[in-house]
Amino acid sequence: MPGIRSGSDGERELQERYGTQDRAERFYEDQVRDRLNTHMIDFIRRMDMAFIATADKHGECDTSFRAGKPGFLHVIDEHTVAYPEFRGNGVMASLGNILENPHVGILLIDFVHDLIGLHINGSARIVDDALMRRYIDGLPEGERGRVIERWVVVDVEEAYIHCRKHIPHLVPASREPRQWGTDNVRAKGGDYFRTKEEARALVEY
């Protein structure tokens, strides 16, 4: 299947300014697709982490990290993927952005074996877990006491490779012991960046 017409107006303007149109067109033609092919689907099903990029209606951005057992990012079909949302810190930054602006970017990287990445860009919507399970078979369950509250369902608009040139080779370490499903501040990282400490100091000052 040929590549799709891709690239923002800004991309096109800079490609022209810096003379990279030919290289960009080859990339769009060879690598950018408007759906997932079988190799992309196989890749997604063995990934256990993803980086999620969103922006609100003003264009202010947020990037978040999601992880789970391989397959936690669930492929519904070649046009649709979904990932679960668990009880978190209550801020719901990514979900709030999606509510205002459905455009989302997902980056999956294999740091361990093939040292390659996959970009998925698309339009997202929020669906309650009970409703998802009514219509979609094979959804993963929560793990380690974590309850899935809702899903982010993404309609794929672009899917393309992230080259391996600068992807580091990492060796997985054991995730144990971890305290899953806890509100214990220390178990969740405490005040690692000392922000609470700073806020307290300002109040006392």
Side-chain angles (χ1 to χ4, degrees):
M1 183 181 68
I4 61 172
R5 178 69 178 175
S6 189
S8 66
D9 292 342
E11 283 180 41
R12 297 289 179 173
E13 180 178 336
L14 290 178
Q15 290 161 15
E16 183 176 355
R17 183 184 304 177
Y18 298 120
T20 67
Q21 301 102 313
D22 290 345
R23 276 186 289 149
E25 287 298 336
R26 285 196 298 273
F27 182 83
Y28 294 146
E29 180 69 23
D30 293 343
Q31 298 296 339
V32 182
R33 295 293 179 266
D34 63 356
R35 68 194 66 191
L36 304 171
N37 66 24
T38 56
H39 301 285
M40 294 173 178
I41 290 172
D42 289 342
F43 181 84
I44 293 167
R45 285 175 173 163
R46 60 185 177 82
M47 291 297 99
D48 61 0
M49 68 178 77
F51 302 91
I52 312 293
T54 59
D56 66 16
K57 62 185 176 184
H58 303 293
E60 296 185 6
C61 300
D62 180 79
T63 304
S64 191
F65 176 74
R66 296 290 185 273
K69 291 182 179 178
F72 83 99
L73 181 62
H74 184 74
V75 178
I76 296 174
D77 55 41
E78 64 181 355
H79 296 284
T80 320
V81 298
Y83 63 86
E85 286 285 341
F86 300 91
R87 181 178 182 273
N89 58 17
V91 174
M92 299 190 183
S94 297
L95 292 180
N97 285 347
I98 290 169
L99 194 63
E100 296 185 9
N101 173 3
H103 299 294
V104 63
I106 302 174
L107 175 60
L108 302 134
I109 298 182
D110 178 356
F111 293 101
V112 178
H113 300 291
D114 295 331
L115 307 185
I116 206 74
L118 175 66
H119 293 264
I120 302 171
N121 298 327
S123 180
R125 58 192 183 277
I126 304 165
V127 181
D128 286 342
D129 181 67
L131 184 60
M132 279 287 287
R133 294 186 188 280
R134 187 181 305 169
Y135 294 102
I136 305 298
D137 294 328
L139 291 173
E141 300 287 345
E143 53 183 283
R144 301 184 179 94
R146 303 170 74 204
V147 177
I148 298 173
E149 296 184 339
R150 55 194 62 88
W151 292 80
V152 174
V153 181
V154 180
D155 296 322
V156 177
E157 296 171 358
E158 290 183 326
Y160 57 92
I161 193 171
H162 185 97
C163 76
R164 63 166 47 95
K165 188 185 301 183
H166 300 295
I167 295 176
H169 185 193
L170 305 182
V171 178
S174 171
R175 293 188 178 188
E176 305 301 338
R178 298 284 182 96
Q179 294 184 32
W180 301 97
T182 180
D183 283 329
N184 182 282
V185 174
R186 184 178 297 276
K188 293 166 66 174
D191 191 26
Y192 183 88
F193 293 106
R194 304 294 192 267
T195 55
K196 185 176 180 179
E197 180 181 304
E198 290 175 356
R200 185 181 297 116
L202 288 172
V203 170
E204 292 174 352
Y205 179 79

